[in-house]
């Protein structure tokens, strides 16, 4: 017994329309898949290009200032950190920390005990308080 499945409708024009409709659906599906892949690849390459522009920097061009790359910016940050480190640690006497230490030593000379209240001035409001500051600071 030869049992072949008859897959035709018996109407040749309708059968042709079904075949061409299937082919068209297949082409639209493949085209959509290709379009989505191309769009995804385009998105990735665009983002990669932006990353590389940020990493290496960009040269100046008319109307747009130059942008330094990551390594140049890291070098600038390291230099800035070196300058801040110089200011917050005692060193040559020219740092902010050295100036604060000098000011604290002078303040200890003027007021040795930070918990003591200031001495009241004389009873006469017109009388000038005595000058007990050291001569040279």
């Amino acid at each position: 017994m030869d049992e072949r499945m008859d897959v035709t409708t018996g109407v040749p024009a309708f059968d042709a329309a079904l075949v061409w409709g299937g082919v068209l659906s297949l082409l639209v599906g493949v085209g959509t898949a290709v379009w989505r892949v191309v769009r995804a690849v385009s998105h990735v390459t665009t983002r990669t290009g932006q990353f590389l522009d940020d990493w290496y920097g960009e040269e100046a061009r008319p109307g747009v200032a130059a942008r330094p790359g990551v390594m140049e910016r890291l070098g600038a940050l390291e230099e800035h950190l070196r300058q801040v480190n110089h200011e917050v640690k005692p060193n040559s006497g020219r740092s902010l920390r050295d100036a604060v230490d000098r000011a604290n030593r002078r303040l200890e000379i003027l007021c040795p005990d930070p918990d003591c209240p200031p001495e009241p001035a004389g009873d006469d409001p017109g009388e000038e308080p005595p000058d007990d500051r050291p001569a040279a600071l």
Side-chain angles (χ1 to χ4, degrees):
M1 284 188 172
D2 184 33
E3 292 188 25
R4 284 185 43 202
M5 228 167 117
D6 193 13
V7 290
T8 62
T9 61
V11 180
F14 189 66
D15 289 341
L18 287 177
V19 169
W20 285 111
V23 169
L24 183 63
S25 297
L26 183 66
L27 289 176
V28 167
V30 168
T32 301
V34 167
W35 174 74
R36 290 183 68 136
V37 167
V38 167
R39 190 178 74 166
V41 168
S42 172
H43 179 70
V44 168
T45 56
T46 299
R47 299 288 295 196
T48 302
Q50 290 172 347
F51 170 78
L52 292 175
D53 287 344
D54 289 343
W55 184 263
Y56 292 113
E58 291 186 23
E59 297 291 325
R61 54 185 196 266
V64 179
R67 290 188 326 157
V70 170
M71 292 299 146
E72 187 177 345
R73 290 169 55 199
L74 277 175
L77 284 173
E78 287 175 348
E79 178 58 32
H80 181 71
L81 184 61
R82 204 174 311 66
Q83 291 171 356
V84 168
N85 195 26
H86 173 79
E87 293 298 324
V88 297
K89 293 192 175 187
N91 48 35
S92 62
R94 296 184 354 214
S95 69
L96 179 62
R97 173 65 185 264
D98 292 329
V100 168
D101 289 345
R102 278 193 305 273
N104 282 339
R105 282 193 301 273
R106 290 175 182 165
L107 185 60
E108 285 176 2
I109 292 171
L110 293 174
C111 183
D113 185 8
D115 294 332
C116 72
E119 294 181 13
D123 291 335
D124 183 16
E127 181 182 333
E128 291 287 325
D131 188 14
D132 357 36
R133 292 186 298 184
L137 290 178

